[in-house]
Amino acid sequence: MSDKLLSYISLNDEQRKKINETAPSYEIIESLSEVEDISEVKVIYGWDRDLAAELLNKTENKLEWVQLASAGVDYVDLNKLEELGVTLTNASGIHGHAITESIFGMILNYTRQIGHSLIMQRQGKWSPASEATELNQKTMLIVGTGAIGTQTGKVAQAFGMKTIGVNRSGRPVEHMDELVTQDQLDDVLPQADFVINILPLTDETDGLFDLGKFRAMKSSAVFVNVGRGQTVVTADLLKALDENWLEYAALDVVHEEPLPKKHPIYSRKDVLLTPHISGSLEDYNASAFPIFLENLRAFVNGQEIPENIVDYEAGY
């Protein structure tokens, strides 16, 4: 009887070879149906909401570690994993460049009136936008200063922007001109020309951006959400736009995905909606696999897992 590594991620031959070299005593399986004794499954790479949950609910379960291929963990039963003493790691960090590029793509689409030009082109019209704005000398408030926030700050500074970072502790972070704690968010919102929400979904961040937050922003502010849809009260955002409490919103995530066909966001000119694509990578599996392999190497050698351990209390 050998320990099993259950992979819900499709592995190529080279990846299988590296796993076998790193953990020779483990057998790679792709389904629970491949094992007679479920207690043999010690590691899961990836996640299946239904099938993995079935494993967790079996009394003979001996699972020790789950490596997610995503940065977000809000779709996993954190309470159950913590109760079972399972170590959970994620793929935080692999989206830094991609999401940053999406953030600035959405912003420049508006500030340089690229979206307007595209609409006019399709109508066969030569119609320059009445005005365009620059990012240089503007202030960007980055709410969430992990790998994505840090890269966003780096690019913002390259544009000549001032960056203000927001995190739970107020700890210093590279590429932030200023740092404040999440409790001080209301104090800095009025300073920002661009507010970038990169927060994960936790009990603390659920519905964080509500009417009060939007009213605190500049009337000329642009709000971008690439974090989690449920961190924003959508009805409050739309009301704020209607009342001209802020100028524009770019949303890659929303409270309900996919958004219902008749939702008013679809017809608004002051909202850009992209269908949760900011984290898309050219080869997602190739980007996530090195984190898993490094953690696997430590796990099989009885060492502390080095990368991206999820804090169950914090929820990310």
Side-chain angles (χ1 to χ4, degrees):
M1 183 176 71
S2 62
D3 292 331
K4 303 295 191 293
L5 186 160
L6 172 58
S7 179
Y8 286 116
I9 304 300
S10 179
L11 300 168
N12 60 37
D13 292 342
E14 182 63 23
Q15 290 170 335
R16 285 176 172 274
K17 179 182 177 182
K18 289 181 177 179
I19 291 174
N20 289 330
E21 290 172 349
T22 302
S25 64
Y26 278 75
E27 179 186 349
I28 303 170
I29 61 172
E30 297 179 345
S31 170
L32 288 175
S33 63
E34 296 179 44
V35 293
E36 295 182 4
D37 185 356
I38 206 168
S39 68
E40 296 177 16
V41 179
K42 301 294 173 58
V43 177
I44 293 180
Y45 179 36
W47 194 252
D48 181 292
R49 293 173 190 260
D50 298 322
L51 298 179
E54 178 185 344
L55 169 64
L56 297 183
N57 289 323
K58 291 187 178 294
T59 56
E60 62 270 33
N61 160 47
K62 301 293 183 184
L63 184 65
E64 297 180 24
W65 167 44
V66 174
Q67 170 71 60
L68 300 178
S70 63
V73 301
D74 47 283
Y75 59 94
V76 178
D77 189 340
L78 299 182
N79 291 331
K80 186 66 174 180
L81 288 172
E82 183 179 23
E83 176 189 327
L84 295 171
V86 177
T87 298
L88 178 65
T89 53
N90 64 13
S92 178
I94 68 173
H95 305 93
H97 289 279
I99 293 182
T100 295
E101 290 173 15
S102 290
I103 289 169
F104 282 92
M106 290 188 286
I107 289 174
L108 293 169
N109 178 75
Y110 178 65
T111 61
R112 305 310 304 164
Q113 295 297 318
I114 297 168
H116 168 82
S117 297
L118 180 60
I119 292 171
M120 293 300 101
Q121 174 190 333
R122 289 176 174 170
Q123 295 177 4
K125 297 178 181 179
W126 184 277
S127 177
S130 58
E131 62 181 53
T133 57
E134 301 89 43
L135 301 187
N136 184 44
Q137 302 301 308
K138 299 297 196 302
T139 296
M140 177 174 283
L141 180 63
I142 301 170
V143 189
T145 58
I148 299 166
T150 302
Q151 179 65 19
T152 300
K154 180 180 180 180
V155 175
Q157 289 180 336
F159 272 102
M161 305 181 78
K162 175 183 177 181
T163 55
I164 303 174
V166 181
N167 58 35
R168 295 179 73 208
S169 64
R171 63 179 174 82
V173 177
E174 196 176 10
H175 303 300
M176 300 297 160
D177 296 310
E178 294 181 20
L179 240 303
V180 299
T181 64
Q182 200 162 300
D183 292 339
Q184 298 170 297
L185 177 58
D186 287 352
D187 297 331
V188 292
L189 278 171
Q191 302 177 35
D193 299 294
F194 299 88
V195 179
I196 315 301
N197 175 33
I198 316 177
L199 291 173
L201 180 62
T202 68
D203 291 341
E204 187 178 356
T205 64
D206 191 2
L208 176 68
F209 283 94
D210 57 11
L211 207 57
K213 295 290 188 294
F214 294 123
R215 292 202 70 166
M217 296 180 190
K218 289 182 177 182
S219 60
S220 58
V222 172
F223 175 73
V224 179
N225 188 15
V226 292
R228 282 292 183 263
Q230 296 93 326
T231 61
V232 175
V233 181
T234 303
D236 288 358
L237 171 62
L238 299 185
K239 178 176 176 59
L241 289 165
D242 288 338
E243 299 291 338
N244 297 314
W245 294 335
L246 73 157
E247 187 170 290
Y248 191 76
L251 310 174
D252 184 59
V253 290
V254 285
H255 66 286
E256 182 181 359
E257 296 180 8
L259 207 58
K261 289 183 178 180
K262 295 186 178 180
H263 197 280
I265 281 180
Y266 285 118
S267 60
R268 296 191 71 107
K269 294 182 179 180
D270 53 4
V271 179
L272 170 62
L273 177 67
T274 58
H276 205 146
I277 58 172
S278 67
S280 299
L281 302 170
E282 290 180 29
D283 191 334
Y284 198 103
N285 290 349
S287 298
F289 184 76
I291 295 175
F292 171 59
L293 193 65
E294 182 177 357
N295 284 342
L296 179 63
R297 185 174 293 109
F299 176 79
V300 298
N301 288 315
Q303 301 168 353
E304 182 177 350
I305 293 178
E307 293 288 335
N308 299 349
I309 293 180
V310 172
D311 182 335
Y312 285 120
E313 183 176 351
Y316 61 91

